[in-house]
Amino acid sequence: DISIQELIGDTLDAFYMEIQNRGTKLNVDIEDRFIHVDIDQMQRAITNIISNAVRYAKTQIMITCKGNVLTIWNDGLHLSEGDKKKMFDRFYMGEGGSTGIGLSLAKEIIEQHGFEIKADNLEDGVCFMIMLK
């Protein structure tokens, strides 16, 4: 078992310098709770999602956990319809993507834990939502 707050905090450690160097504003608002996961694997999945948020954010990233939903939002460009359909497919690279493995691996790990992930455009950016149990 690990607290969501600890999982996110440990994962963000690897990104603080890059976020600071880019001048990106980071907001974290976690209603803490514990989840039963393979910590290394779940950290790998969250790392892949945060890495995308850092890559695509214009000025800000927000990570929240309310109830059973962990969200990772950034104010980057909206996902195209093609990206929304294929972004979790192995080797699919959207514009500015790197290997096409990160999000497919994240989805696989998240689903192996009995959770669900989806992504959608919001009025002011892109939001990844992980539905926890």
Side-chain angles (χ1 to χ4, degrees), residues 29-97:
D29 183 12
I30 306 283
E31 282 180 5
D32 206 13
R33 58 173 286 196
F34 284 83
I35 55 174
H36 183 75
V37 295
D38 177 318
I39 295 169
D40 292 335
Q41 290 296 312
M42 189 56 70
Q43 195 166 26
R44 182 172 290 127
I46 300 296
T47 294
N48 288 336
I49 298 165
I50 292 175
S51 175
N52 275 5
V54 171
R55 182 181 304 122
Y56 293 109
K58 291 180 191 170
T59 61
Q60 52 185 318
I61 297 168
M62 186 175 348
I63 301 172
T64 63
C65 187
K66 305 284 186 205
N68 290 336
V69 182
L70 172 65
T71 62
I72 300 169
W73 170 88
N74 73 81
D75 64 347
L77 295 175
H78 281 168
L79 300 167
S80 70
E81 286 305 312
D83 283 347
K84 283 199 302 189
K85 290 178 184 171
K86 296 181 179 183
M87 66 190 310
F88 294 111
D89 293 352
R90 194 169 296 266
F91 305 120
Y92 177 77
M93 285 189 293
E95 188 174 328

